[in-house]
Amino acid sequence: MKVWTVANQKGGVGKTTTTVSLGGLLAQQGKRVLLIDTDPHSSLSYYFGIDAEALSHSVYDIFIKSASLTADSVLDCLCPTKIDNLYVLPATMALATLDRTMGSEQGMGLVLKKALAKVDNEFDVAIIDCPPVLGVLMVNALAACDKVIVPTQTEYLALKGLDRMIRTMEIMGRSLGKSFDTCIIPTMFDKRTNAALESRKRLMSDYGGRVWEGVIPVDTHFRDASLVQLPISAAYPKTRGVAAYGKLLEVLGK
Ligand SMILES: Nc1ncnc2c1ncn2[C@@H]1O[C@H](COP(=O)(O)OP(=O)(O)O)[C@@H](O)[C@H]1O
Ligand SMILES: [Mg+2]
């Protein structure tokens, strides 16, 4: 199973949209896909109409019961979606308390990695959607993955946030003894605006080979797709947004 983490400490940059869009495309290709919501705001879960507050199991259980996890106890926490082969490990608000209750416990950074190892044979790809906060959840997501996807809005302020995110990953990488395979993706790109063109140029010059050479364009179909609780590729297959994530997937899959 490949594990990808979608992270950026800035909110509203397209993390959840990227997670859902890549997951939808992979599932349509016949891959068995698990999307993991680690944001206490549960945007990914709500996207698919899943209200984890009303469920008996969520990703929170994985952290609470980390010492006694089995493949079945992880699988018990998963929810199906309207798309074949596409499953969600939902989040709950309780996740927000983890930093306070467990943040300093030994080994807490590796809980998600261990949980995913239990279901390694059940899925081809797992994609972890992160909260916009550096805490125990993002640490877990980064420790568990083999690739980090960093969506970045193509505007000046978002680039500032990116500097912080890249520094955070360097510090984390050192403590985990790994260097991250990072792919920065320019999102919500509006080619008509100077700000978008300039910030893409700056991204390329500051981060070079780590920046995907394509862009995810502004496309209102992303919002429309979320209203019908489907990945954009299932709701509006012939859109610029789908084509762009398709191209990204070709690069990520290599
Ligand atoms: N390429 C895009 N074009 C237009 N709207 C987008 C695009 N990507 C995301 N959005 C919208 O922007 C908002 C924030 O995106 P989201 O993926 O939730 O960001 P994050 O998870 O980083 O907070 C959502 O309403 C989403 O539908
Ligand atoms: Mg989100």
Side-chain angles (χ1 to χ4, degrees):
M1 179 173 70
K2 289 180 186 163
V3 182
W4 299 343
T5 284
V6 182
N8 190 329
Q9 278 155 284
K10 195 167 183 319
V13 295
K15 290 183 292 296
T16 301
T17 303
T18 297
T19 305
V20 173
S21 301
L22 292 176
L25 281 167
L26 284 162
Q28 279 181 335
Q29 293 173 1
K31 300 276 195 308
R32 299 164 303 164
V33 184
L34 175 59
L35 304 182
I36 300 157
D37 193 355
T38 64
D39 188 345
H41 289 115
S42 309
S43 307
L44 172 67
S45 311
Y46 285 124
Y47 189 106
F48 288 101
I50 301 163
D51 178 5
E53 308 301 331
L55 297 170
S56 50
H57 299 297
S58 74
V59 73
Y60 184 68
D61 296 60
I62 304 243
F63 284 91
I64 295 300
K65 299 174 192 156
S66 60
S68 57
L69 284 179
T70 61
D72 281 340
S73 64
V74 176
L75 292 172
D76 276 347
C77 298
L78 308 188
C79 295
T81 66
K82 291 183 214 165
I83 307 291
D84 285 346
N85 294 323
L86 186 63
Y87 289 80
V88 173
L89 176 50
T92 52
M93 281 186 292
L95 282 176
T97 63
L98 281 181
D99 270 305
R100 192 161 31 84
T101 53
M102 301 181 162
S104 55
E105 272 179 42
Q106 192 72 24
M108 269 313 280
L110 297 174
V111 173
L112 199 51
K113 186 180 170 79
K114 288 182 185 151
L116 290 179
K118 304 276 180 210
V119 294
D120 189 36
N121 291 326
E122 309 291 329
F123 295 97
D124 299 305
V125 186
I127 311 180
I128 307 171
D129 185 21
C130 284
V133 184
L134 175 70
V136 72
L137 292 158
M138 199 194 289
V139 168
N140 267 272
L142 290 174
C145 71
D146 12 86
K147 203 183 275 288
V148 187
I149 300 164
V150 186
T152 306
Q153 225 174 323
T154 31
E155 57 166 46
Y156 178 70
L157 286 178
L159 295 190
K160 284 272 168 223
L162 181 65
D163 285 340
R164 256 208 322 275
M165 181 67 215
I166 297 291
R167 267 205 304 275
T168 301
M169 283 178 14
E170 279 164 4
I171 295 165
M172 272 217 43
R174 273 200 294 277
S175 71
L176 288 165
K178 75 191 230 184
S179 73
F180 293 104
D181 179 2
T182 311
C183 184
I184 297 169
I185 63 164
T187 57
M188 302 183 208
F189 186 76
D190 183 351
K191 63 176 191 286
R192 296 165 306 179
T193 70
N194 220 6
L197 296 168
E198 283 302 317
S199 48
R200 176 153 181 260
K201 238 189 257 163
R202 236 207 76 195
L203 266 183
M204 292 289 192
S205 67
D206 287 2
Y207 300 103
R210 283 179 284 183
V211 184
W212 174 48
E213 57 186 28
V215 292
I216 305 298
V218 172
D219 188 338
T220 52
H221 292 98
F222 285 108
R223 230 170 243 139
D224 297 342
S226 70
L227 292 178
V228 291
Q229 301 179 344
L230 286 171
I232 184 172
S233 56
Y236 304 100
K238 293 197 182 345
T239 49
R240 298 185 299 159
V242 175
Y245 276 108
K247 279 199 196 125
L248 173 63
L249 204 47
E250 282 172 23
V251 174
L252 293 174
K254 274 181 197 147

mmCIF file of all heavy atoms in Angstrom, residues 40 51 64 71 116-117 126 152 185 198 207 213 221 242 253:
data_model
loop_
_atom_site.group_PDB
_atom_site.id
_atom_site.type_symbol
_atom_site.label_atom_id
_atom_site.label_comp_id
_atom_site.label_asym_id
_atom_site.label_seq_id
_atom_site.Cartn_x
_atom_site.Cartn_y
_atom_site.Cartn_z
ATOM 1 N N PRO A 40 -9.923 17.599 12.950
ATOM 2 C CA PRO A 40 -11.050 17.603 13.891
ATOM 3 C C PRO A 40 -12.298 18.296 13.338
ATOM 4 O O PRO A 40 -13.404 18.079 13.823
ATOM 5 C CB PRO A 40 -10.505 18.365 15.107
ATOM 6 C CG PRO A 40 -9.028 18.235 15.005
ATOM 7 C CD PRO A 40 -8.695 18.150 13.539
ATOM 8 N N ASP A 51 -21.172 11.569 9.215
ATOM 9 C CA ASP A 51 -21.123 12.331 10.471
ATOM 10 C C ASP A 51 -20.560 11.404 11.545
ATOM 11 O O ASP A 51 -21.292 10.609 12.141
ATOM 12 C CB ASP A 51 -22.522 12.808 10.845
ATOM 13 C CG ASP A 51 -22.505 13.573 12.171
ATOM 14 O OD1 ASP A 51 -21.405 13.801 12.733
ATOM 15 O OD2 ASP A 51 -23.601 13.927 12.649
ATOM 16 N N ILE A 64 -6.897 6.125 20.697
ATOM 17 C CA ILE A 64 -7.223 5.724 22.065
ATOM 18 C C ILE A 64 -6.835 4.270 22.327
ATOM 19 O O ILE A 64 -6.393 3.909 23.409
ATOM 20 C CB ILE A 64 -8.756 5.907 22.306
ATOM 21 C CG1 ILE A 64 -9.114 7.376 22.214
ATOM 22 C CG2 ILE A 64 -9.204 5.337 23.630
ATOM 23 C CD1 ILE A 64 -8.404 8.238 23.226
ATOM 24 N N ALA A 71 -6.119 -5.750 12.682
ATOM 25 C CA ALA A 71 -6.667 -5.395 11.367
ATOM 26 C C ALA A 71 -8.170 -5.165 11.485
ATOM 27 O O ALA A 71 -8.713 -4.199 10.948
ATOM 28 C CB ALA A 71 -6.364 -6.508 10.371
ATOM 29 N N LEU A 116 -2.025 1.683 9.874
ATOM 30 C CA LEU A 116 -2.080 1.434 8.428
ATOM 31 C C LEU A 116 -1.361 0.148 8.064
ATOM 32 O O LEU A 116 -1.758 -0.565 7.141
ATOM 33 C CB LEU A 116 -1.504 2.627 7.665
ATOM 34 C CG LEU A 116 -2.368 3.888 7.719
ATOM 35 C CD1 LEU A 116 -1.726 5.031 6.957
ATOM 36 C CD2 LEU A 116 -3.761 3.607 7.160
ATOM 37 N N ALA A 117 -0.314 -0.171 8.828
ATOM 38 C CA ALA A 117 0.401 -1.424 8.561
ATOM 39 C C ALA A 117 -0.533 -2.628 8.738
ATOM 40 O O ALA A 117 -0.399 -3.643 8.059
ATOM 41 C CB ALA A 117 1.613 -1.537 9.479
ATOM 42 N N ALA A 126 -3.430 4.735 0.389
ATOM 43 C CA ALA A 126 -4.091 5.485 1.464
ATOM 44 C C ALA A 126 -3.673 6.944 1.315
ATOM 45 O O ALA A 126 -2.503 7.236 1.049
ATOM 46 C CB ALA A 126 -3.671 4.951 2.829
ATOM 47 N N THR A 152 -0.784 24.404 -2.556
ATOM 48 C CA THR A 152 -0.450 25.784 -2.228
ATOM 49 C C THR A 152 -1.227 26.723 -3.134
ATOM 50 O O THR A 152 -1.132 26.610 -4.358
ATOM 51 C CB THR A 152 1.057 26.031 -2.474
ATOM 52 O OG1 THR A 152 1.778 25.049 -1.754
ATOM 53 C CG2 THR A 152 1.462 27.404 -2.005
ATOM 54 N N ILE A 185 1.958 21.413 -5.025
ATOM 55 C CA ILE A 185 1.073 21.620 -6.179
ATOM 56 C C ILE A 185 0.361 22.974 -6.106
ATOM 57 O O ILE A 185 -0.308 23.292 -5.132
ATOM 58 C CB ILE A 185 0.069 20.465 -6.360
ATOM 59 C CG1 ILE A 185 -0.881 20.336 -5.176
ATOM 60 C CG2 ILE A 185 0.766 19.133 -6.538
ATOM 61 C CD1 ILE A 185 -2.094 19.490 -5.519
ATOM 62 N N GLU A 198 2.773 35.311 -11.100
ATOM 63 C CA GLU A 198 3.980 35.691 -10.349
ATOM 64 C C GLU A 198 4.276 34.684 -9.251
ATOM 65 O O GLU A 198 5.418 34.290 -9.030
ATOM 66 C CB GLU A 198 3.799 37.089 -9.730
ATOM 67 C CG GLU A 198 3.956 38.235 -10.724
ATOM 68 C CD GLU A 198 5.316 38.228 -11.411
ATOM 69 O OE1 GLU A 198 6.326 38.008 -10.721
ATOM 70 O OE2 GLU A 198 5.366 38.415 -12.643
ATOM 71 N N TYR A 207 11.553 26.633 -4.908
ATOM 72 C CA TYR A 207 11.470 25.213 -4.533
ATOM 73 C C TYR A 207 11.797 24.253 -5.674
ATOM 74 O O TYR A 207 11.776 23.032 -5.496
ATOM 75 C CB TYR A 207 10.079 24.898 -3.952
ATOM 76 C CG TYR A 207 9.785 25.713 -2.723
ATOM 77 C CD1 TYR A 207 8.940 26.815 -2.789
ATOM 78 C CD2 TYR A 207 10.382 25.419 -1.508
ATOM 79 C CE1 TYR A 207 8.683 27.587 -1.671
ATOM 80 C CE2 TYR A 207 10.141 26.183 -0.379
ATOM 81 C CZ TYR A 207 9.290 27.266 -0.473
ATOM 82 O OH TYR A 207 9.045 28.023 0.633
ATOM 83 N N GLU A 213 5.003 20.551 -12.188
ATOM 84 C CA GLU A 213 5.041 21.554 -13.264
ATOM 85 C C GLU A 213 3.657 21.952 -13.777
ATOM 86 O O GLU A 213 3.519 22.957 -14.471
ATOM 87 C CB GLU A 213 5.948 21.078 -14.408
ATOM 88 C CG GLU A 213 5.545 19.744 -14.981
ATOM 89 C CD GLU A 213 6.559 19.247 -16.007
ATOM 90 O OE1 GLU A 213 7.757 19.604 -15.899
ATOM 91 O OE2 GLU A 213 6.126 18.501 -16.906
ATOM 92 N N HIS A 221 -16.617 23.617 -10.400
ATOM 93 C CA HIS A 221 -17.173 22.262 -10.279
ATOM 94 C C HIS A 221 -16.709 21.554 -9.013
ATOM 95 O O HIS A 221 -17.348 20.608 -8.566
ATOM 96 C CB HIS A 221 -16.791 21.425 -11.506
ATOM 97 C CG HIS A 221 -17.457 21.892 -12.765
ATOM 98 N ND1 HIS A 221 -16.835 22.706 -13.673
ATOM 99 C CD2 HIS A 221 -18.704 21.667 -13.237
ATOM 100 C CE1 HIS A 221 -17.660 22.951 -14.675
ATOM 101 N NE2 HIS A 221 -18.805 22.347 -14.433
ATOM 102 N N VAL A 242 -10.814 17.897 -13.267
ATOM 103 C CA VAL A 242 -10.549 16.452 -13.341
ATOM 104 C C VAL A 242 -9.304 16.197 -14.186
ATOM 105 O O VAL A 242 -8.425 15.402 -13.818
ATOM 106 C CB VAL A 242 -11.754 15.695 -13.950
ATOM 107 C CG1 VAL A 242 -11.425 14.219 -14.132
ATOM 108 C CG2 VAL A 242 -12.978 15.860 -13.059
ATOM 109 N N GLY A 253 2.065 8.768 -9.408
ATOM 110 C CA GLY A 253 2.046 7.306 -9.492
ATOM 111 C C GLY A 253 3.385 6.708 -9.891
ATOM 112 O O GLY A 253 3.623 5.521 -9.712
#
